[in-house]
Amino acid sequence: MHRLLLLWLLVAPPASSIFQRPTGSPAPPRLQYLLEPLHAAVHTQRGATATLPCVLRALPRNYRVKWSKVEPANYRESIIIITNGLYHKNYGPLSPRVRLRHSHRYDASLTITDVALEDEGRYRCQLVNGLEDESVSLTLHLEGVVFPYQPSNGRYKFNYHEAKRACEQQDSRLATYQQLYKAWTEGLDWCNAGWILDGTVHYPIINSREPCGGRLLLPGVRTYGARDKQKDRFDAFCFTSALQGSVYFIRGHLNFKEAGQACRNHGAAIAKVGQLYSAWKFSQLDRCDGGWLADGSVRYPITTPRQRCGGLPDPGVRSFGFPSKELRTYGTYCFAGK
């Protein structure tokens, strides 16, 4: 009997399917077997362990529970795990880091270990039970920080794929719209338009002004909508979360090559832009010293604004841009992993 159940469970499901309810379709029926979660969102940080709750109030005969994730870049549903209460099978890139909590026989909650930046998003727990299928949706939110990013050769140089790669190279990923919107509510004000994860282009404005759409437009997240991912070129809005390590400053008059070597001499690596933003956000790193970073830029983090450190009234990561790599003027920021 167990062998038959195992064979039935492990029949490979389709790799993905569209997870969208047509406009105007009726609301889903009232849940019969699944408990509505107390909270629709679970908040966590990178590197933590997070559990998305899914609990049954009764066990129907011959049922399966299927966990899946809606990918924000293409709105497709990717299967993560399927169980029939006796056996389970994992699917996809999340497979090594997910398990069922199964604290009791009615518990089908999903536990994700070592949470990564790309784990943020919408998840669905679906009870597959013939004609009585039902599901609950939950959102995994990472606490983090959004920052605008452009390369050394100036603004509006990235197509979508280059923007995505640039964020990943700086220990971050393209921000979602929800992350960008939240950053705007927290004070992000940036006049250059940038790509986000779903392939749309936006820019957040707190202080309306002429070069940024005009003084008459209300503050908000301005949008250019969906753009051609190959041809159109903008900046990027990147998102990063807590560090698994620490960022620290080495004082000196170093060129870029010497800055990298100074970090290696301490058993560390020259910090990436996302790592400096994370240290500023989560560790309150505050230094008035410009330092080299891995992309060749020079920046410094300020949590307590003061006149002699740029004079700007708000906290933030200040930038000197991309000076000549031969210049011996700055120290360096290093990253040491745990």
Side-chain angles (χ1 to χ4, degrees):
M1 180 64 177
H2 283 183
R3 185 176 179 183
L4 289 174
L5 282 170
L6 180 61
L7 289 172
W8 170 74
L9 174 68
L10 300 185
V11 172
S16 61
S17 59
I18 297 297
F19 180 37
Q20 288 181 304
R21 187 157 54 91
T23 304
S25 62
R30 187 172 181 274
L31 295 176
Q32 179 181 356
Y33 291 103
L34 293 177
L35 290 175
E36 191 73 39
L38 288 176
H39 304 286
V42 174
H43 295 265
T44 188
Q45 293 182 354
R46 178 168 53 176
T49 296
T51 297
L52 298 168
C54 184
V55 178
L56 286 72
R57 57 162 55 93
L59 299 179
R61 296 183 61 186
N62 300 326
Y63 76 96
R64 289 184 295 168
V65 170
K66 178 177 73 174
W67 275 99
S68 53
K69 182 176 187 289
V70 179
E71 302 299 340
N74 55 23
Y75 299 101
R76 297 183 73 85
E77 179 186 7
S78 298
I79 293 171
I80 300 170
I81 195 169
I82 297 178
T83 181
N84 66 355
L86 295 175
Y87 306 101
H88 70 272
K89 184 171 176 59
N90 294 14
Y91 298 89
L94 265 173
S95 180
R97 297 189 289 111
V98 295
R99 58 180 171 81
L100 294 169
R101 183 174 63 180
H102 205 64
S103 58
H104 52 79
R105 62 194 296 251
Y106 299 101
D107 185 14
S109 302
L110 182 73
T111 295
I112 305 173
T113 60
D114 193 19
V115 170
L117 294 176
E118 60 269 21
D119 296 343
E120 172 151 315
R122 184 180 171 197
Y123 291 77
R124 182 164 74 136
C125 175
Q126 181 183 13
L127 176 72
V128 182
N129 183 37
L131 297 177
E132 298 177 323
D133 292 0
E134 56 189 56
S135 65
V136 294
S137 292
L138 301 107
T139 302
L140 185 67
H141 283 302
L142 268 70
E143 298 172 15
V145 57
V146 172
F147 60 93
Y149 188 75
Q150 57 185 218
S152 59
N153 56 343
R155 74 172 193 160
Y156 294 175
K157 301 297 182 182
F158 294 134
N159 67 25
Y160 172 81
H161 305 288
E162 291 164 343
K164 184 174 183 291
R165 187 162 54 249
C167 288
E168 291 167 355
Q169 289 170 347
Q170 296 307 315
D171 193 50
S172 59
R173 72 190 299 245
L174 279 175
T176 65
Y177 181 82
Q178 291 77 13
Q179 290 165 345
L180 181 62
Y181 185 88
K182 183 173 184 290
W184 168 71
T185 66
E186 294 171 348
L188 181 60
D189 183 281
W190 195 255
C191 203
N192 294 341
W195 294 101
I196 63 172
L197 188 59
D198 64 3
T200 57
V201 175
H202 309 266
Y203 64 102
I205 295 296
I206 297 290
N207 303 305
S208 298
R209 50 203 187 271
E210 286 304 328
C212 306
R215 297 180 184 276
L216 298 180
L217 279 180
L218 293 174
V221 178
R222 314 272 173 77
T223 180
Y224 287 5
R227 311 298 290 191
D228 189 306
K229 292 182 178 181
Q230 293 288 354
K231 296 179 181 178
D232 290 326
R233 294 187 173 272
F234 298 95
D235 291 346
F237 286 105
C238 305
F239 171 83
T240 192
S241 186
L243 284 174
Q244 301 300 291
S246 60
V247 173
Y248 60 93
F249 181 74
I250 294 179
R251 189 182 299 277
H253 297 282
L254 309 169
N255 63 31
F256 178 70
K257 184 177 180 180
E258 292 166 343
Q261 187 59 53
C263 292
R264 289 190 292 274
N265 290 345
H266 285 75
I270 189 168
K272 299 177 180 180
V273 177
Q275 291 167 341
L276 185 65
Y277 269 93
S278 180
W280 166 75
K281 174 75 173 181
F282 291 100
S283 302
Q284 289 74 55
L285 185 62
D286 184 289
R287 286 204 69 101
C288 210
D289 306 280
W292 291 102
L293 296 177
D295 66 341
S297 66
V298 172
R299 306 175 195 249
Y300 62 101
I302 296 296
T303 57
T304 305
R306 47 212 187 267
Q307 190 61 40
R308 65 182 184 85
C309 296
L312 296 176
D314 300 315
V317 175
R318 320 281 195 236
S319 175
F320 286 114
F322 295 83
S324 168
K325 291 184 177 180
E326 301 304 316
L327 198 63
R328 284 190 170 92
T329 304
Y330 307 105
T332 184
Y333 288 97
C334 304
F335 171 71
K338 287 185 178 178

